Amino acid sequence: MEKILIINGPNLNMLGKREPKIYGKTTLLDIEKKIREEAEKLALQVNFFQSNSESKIIDKIQQDGFSHNGIIINPAAFTHTSIAIRDALIILDIPIIEVHISNIYKRKEFRHKSFIADIATGQITGFGGYSYIMAIWAMKEILKIK
């Protein structure tokens, strides 16, 4: 069974409470439950990690990235600031899908730049929690042809 590491960055632990007009009322645990259900149907094993700390995200990528077949990452605010997370991801030779709940291109201009996008296999943005489900489907298809 192929293993997918799903990494969530800062403040995503506050989904459901944080800016519900932008992010909705669904919690991160709700999203993880839906991902698990969909992953089971696709015969994928998913492992979740969330941190508000850039260094912990980097450590997780370095410690567990090599033992997974793909990574789905929502770097949140680190999308626009972290060359260090980018550098950790670029070492891996596995598919990487960047996910965002909101459409980062419809938000303030500083959110339009992603340090992850050009090294990612693909990017899914703006579909709420459903962005993760789309990423799981895409990852399954990518792994079929890899």
Side-chain angles (χ1 to χ4, degrees):
M1 183 176 281
E2 293 163 315
K3 291 170 44 176
I4 309 303
L5 178 59
I6 300 176
I7 299 174
N8 284 290
N11 299 310
L12 290 168
N13 57 312
M14 299 305 293
L15 287 176
K17 296 177 184 173
R18 178 183 176 222
E19 299 180 271
K21 288 183 180 180
I22 295 174
Y23 299 106
K25 294 185 179 181
T26 303
T27 68
L28 186 58
L29 290 176
D30 294 335
I31 292 170
E32 288 178 0
K33 181 181 180 209
K34 289 177 184 175
I35 293 168
R36 271 190 182 54
E37 291 168 0
E38 201 60 38
E40 188 175 320
K41 294 177 197 173
L42 298 173
L44 294 172
Q45 179 186 335
V46 289
N47 297 306
F48 297 96
F49 179 76
Q50 186 280 325
S51 181
N52 296 319
S53 167
E54 182 181 33
S55 64
K56 288 181 181 177
I57 292 170
I58 293 164
D59 288 344
K60 187 67 170 178
I61 292 166
Q62 291 176 354
Q63 291 165 4
D64 291 351
F66 294 101
S67 64
H68 286 77
N69 303 95
I71 290 182
I72 295 170
I73 184 167
N74 183 343
F78 292 139
T79 302
H80 324 290
T81 63
S82 184
I83 295 169
I85 290 175
R86 172 198 166 82
D87 287 349
L89 289 168
I90 206 166
I91 296 167
L92 304 175
D93 187 26
I94 59 175
I96 298 166
I97 298 176
E98 179 184 353
V99 168
H100 297 283
I101 293 169
S102 67
N103 183 343
I104 61 175
Y105 303 102
K106 290 181 88 174
R107 298 188 64 198
K108 293 184 179 177
E109 191 170 333
F110 73 88
R111 294 187 187 274
H112 297 183
K113 172 65 176 159
S114 167
F115 283 106
I116 309 301
D118 70 316
I119 63 160
T121 308
Q123 183 188 69
I124 300 171
T125 179
F127 294 95
Y130 195 67
S131 295
Y132 291 89
I133 302 303
M134 295 168 75
I136 286 289
W137 293 340
M139 186 64 75
K140 180 65 176 184
E141 291 303 311
I142 291 165
L143 293 172
K144 281 182 187 177
I145 58 175
K146 185 168 189 219

